[in-house]
Amino acid sequence: MLNKKHWVLLASAGAITLTGATNANAATLEETIERGAVQCGVSDGLPGFSAPDGDGNWQGLDVDVCRAVAAAVLGDADAVNYISLNAVERFTALQSGEVDLLSRNTTWTTTRDTTLGLNFAGVNFYDGIGFMVSRDLGISGADELDGAAICIQTGTTTELNVADYFRANDMEFDPIVFDTSEQTVGGFQAGRCDVLTSDTSQLAALRIQLDNPDGAVILPDIISKEPLGPVVRQGDDTWFNIVKWSLFAMLNAEEYGVTSENVDEMVNSENPDIARLLGQDGNYGEGMGLDADWAYNIISQVGNYSESFERNVGMDSPLEIERGANALWNQGGFQYAPPIR
């Protein structure tokens, strides 16, 4: 049993530890404010998710997460420095502090979440690994791929999941490995492989880069779960919360019908959920070191999740991906955000 003196010593130690943790937990936020921009790690060019347009402006579903964080923290969605990273470089760049945030079609797995010193801050796209083949081959399903040469990007979960699938189905394949998605699709187009494999969303993005997109078909088989989302370093809970709730704000905005077009009208809404979201009823950014209008800034400058999805990867984009699993929970999908209250 501890005596009173021991309790005082433990309490004092706890206070010191808590103070140190609080200072450490604010490090990324303070550095970002001082820098005036979010350092965001993105892909090496994946249409629909993160790729520069003709004017050099980065666009995509993953880019919008970066922009949402910048809007929440700095009040300016354009205050982002984009660092292009391939699959091998991405985790080291985050671990070393080169980037504050990784938003780069990255799958949430046990190993990545528990052994790399990183935290996944949510899922902005539910995906799965699939296969793309030349239409001329006449292949209709993955069970016909025994012995195929398959183009794969190294440093991804795709390598492991494809190997598991072929082993489980007593089939063989010849992996043709590349460092970047651009090299991978180039190898497929040059005929170095029969099949290109990746997340189905990435296949849709790579397909439109082919000289003849109609000459390739994405097979219907999905062989894995690939929850893709933003990643931050462990040990900085304040920054972790900011990134997490920036995504949640976009999802809640869609659920409540708040868009970039009507957000100024919705500020006057009597709906308590909307009032809390837009900072009109309490300051729910205070616990993250943010102003009360943090979510308003996200929605007004970036939009809600539906707006981001449709313009980047949805039916209003060249990829024409249906919402499917990425629909809201009350519309048959998986997307669900905790309430702001």
Side-chain angles (χ1 to χ4, degrees):
M1 182 175 179
L2 295 175
N3 60 32
K4 185 176 181 180
K5 181 179 180 181
H6 287 148
W7 279 113
V8 171
L9 290 172
L10 285 174
S12 299
I16 293 171
T17 302
L18 180 60
T19 301
T22 302
N23 291 337
N25 285 346
T28 308
L29 174 59
E30 292 172 353
E31 291 169 3
T32 300
I33 293 174
E34 183 177 355
R35 185 191 307 121
V38 175
Q39 298 281 101
C40 196
V42 292
S43 76
D44 44 4
L46 183 64
F49 287 84
S50 53
D53 63 14
D55 296 323
N57 299 311
W58 284 86
Q59 296 181 340
L61 193 70
D62 288 337
V63 166
D64 280 349
V65 173
C66 307
R67 299 183 69 242
V69 172
V73 173
L74 302 167
D76 181 2
D78 294 329
V80 183
N81 295 326
Y82 296 100
I83 293 87
S84 178
L85 303 167
N86 66 33
V88 175
E89 299 167 333
R90 54 183 166 174
F91 297 123
T92 302
L94 182 58
Q95 292 164 334
S96 68
E98 180 183 351
V99 297
D100 307 318
L101 160 67
L102 184 67
S103 187
R104 188 203 173 285
N105 55 295
T106 299
T107 302
W108 191 346
T109 70
T110 308
T111 302
R112 292 173 175 179
D113 202 31
T114 63
T115 67
L116 301 181
L118 306 176
N119 279 330
F120 281 77
V123 178
N124 71 326
F125 194 91
Y126 288 95
D127 210 343
I129 290 172
F131 301 97
M132 181 165 66
V133 301
S134 171
R135 191 178 296 275
D136 292 340
L137 294 177
I139 293 174
S140 59
D143 58 353
E144 302 174 49
L145 298 179
D146 191 15
I150 301 182
C151 288
I152 306 176
Q153 186 177 357
T154 190
T156 65
T157 55
T158 305
E159 288 183 285
L160 302 176
N161 286 324
V162 169
D164 287 346
Y165 174 79
F166 275 78
R167 187 184 307 112
N169 288 277
D170 196 25
M171 298 192 302
E172 296 182 355
F173 74 104
D174 179 20
I176 310 298
V177 180
F178 299 90
D179 290 333
T180 68
S181 59
E182 182 179 5
Q183 293 171 351
T184 306
V185 72
F188 175 74
Q189 182 155 269
R192 294 189 59 186
C193 54
D194 307 307
V195 183
L196 192 157
T197 185
S198 186
D199 299 340
T200 54
S201 62
Q202 187 165 357
L203 292 178
L206 296 177
R207 181 175 175 271
I208 64 174
Q209 297 183 50
L210 297 173
D211 292 340
N212 178 23
D214 291 336
V217 59
I218 299 173
L219 301 179
D221 309 81
I222 307 296
I223 67 167
S224 71
K225 294 183 293 184
E226 306 292 330
L228 311 177
V231 195
V232 297
R233 287 181 295 279
Q234 288 182 1
D236 192 335
D237 288 347
T238 297
W239 189 251
F240 177 41
N241 287 335
I242 289 171
V243 175
K244 178 170 53 178
W245 282 97
S246 293
L247 174 58
F248 289 161
M250 295 176 71
L251 287 166
N252 276 318
E254 179 184 358
E255 183 174 344
Y256 303 149
V258 184
T259 71
S260 60
E261 297 295 327
N262 67 18
V263 65
D264 287 324
E265 299 172 16
M266 288 292 195
V267 165
N268 300 314
S269 173
E270 296 182 1
N271 182 316
D273 289 321
I274 296 175
R276 287 191 291 269
L277 174 69
L278 299 181
Q280 301 303 301
D281 180 8
N283 181 359
Y284 292 92
E286 186 174 11
M288 299 180 284
L290 304 179
D291 294 334
D293 62 355
W294 64 279
Y296 168 87
N297 289 334
I298 292 173
I299 300 160
S300 62
Q301 298 180 41
V302 183
N304 66 27
Y305 180 79
S306 176
E307 291 179 278
S308 177
F309 187 99
E310 293 304 331
R311 70 170 170 258
N312 290 306
V313 300
M315 302 309 291
D316 294 337
S317 78
L319 274 65
E320 296 186 339
I321 297 174
E322 296 182 355
R323 284 292 293 266
N326 290 289
L328 293 180
W329 64 281
N330 55 6
Q331 297 176 13
F334 298 156
Q335 290 291 5
Y336 182 107
I340 294 176
R341 64 174 310 123

